[in-house]
Amino acid sequence: MTTGGLTIRVDSGAPVPPFEQIRAQLADLISVGHLREGDRLPPVRQLASDLGLANNTVVRAYRELESAGLVRSRRGSGTRVAASAAGAADEDARATLAEHARDFAGAARLLGASDEDALAAIRHALATR
């Protein structure tokens, strides 16, 4: 679904809850610089309607992003991408990490791995490093 210039997809059959799917996609868009400081996210009601979800699902995704320091919400002015506490080097590192993650996800899909198996492989790799 393209909303407010963003393409967000929610797979109702996925084991990952819809709010987490939204949160992850928006976090990725922020981390790779597609959404920049000050950019406004779609209003909760609009995004929920566009995706066929309850408003509270989008509210939870936005709250998770706010807790992570990626966005800030203000009544009346909406939800905007927060100022990055990291410098340009961190931004480049996040973009590179996102690229590697996309490559891994593509390889996992080619192998027929489930989301859970792919995430388990990442967790194992992180735990053994």
Side-chain angles (χ1 to χ4, degrees), residues 59-121:
V59 167
R60 183 160 179 199
Y62 282 14
R63 279 190 189 145
E64 296 281 333
L65 290 166
E66 191 164 20
S67 292
L70 296 174
V71 301
R72 64 181 181 283
S73 297
R74 288 206 174 143
R75 187 175 215 106
S77 64
T79 301
R80 296 184 180 272
V81 176
S84 175
D90 287 342
E91 204 170 298
D92 290 344
R94 283 192 306 268
T96 300
L97 181 60
E99 182 180 339
H100 288 297
R102 282 190 301 276
D103 291 344
F104 174 80
R109 291 285 181 251
L110 288 173
L111 292 171
S114 70
D115 288 356
E116 296 308 312
D117 288 341
L119 291 171

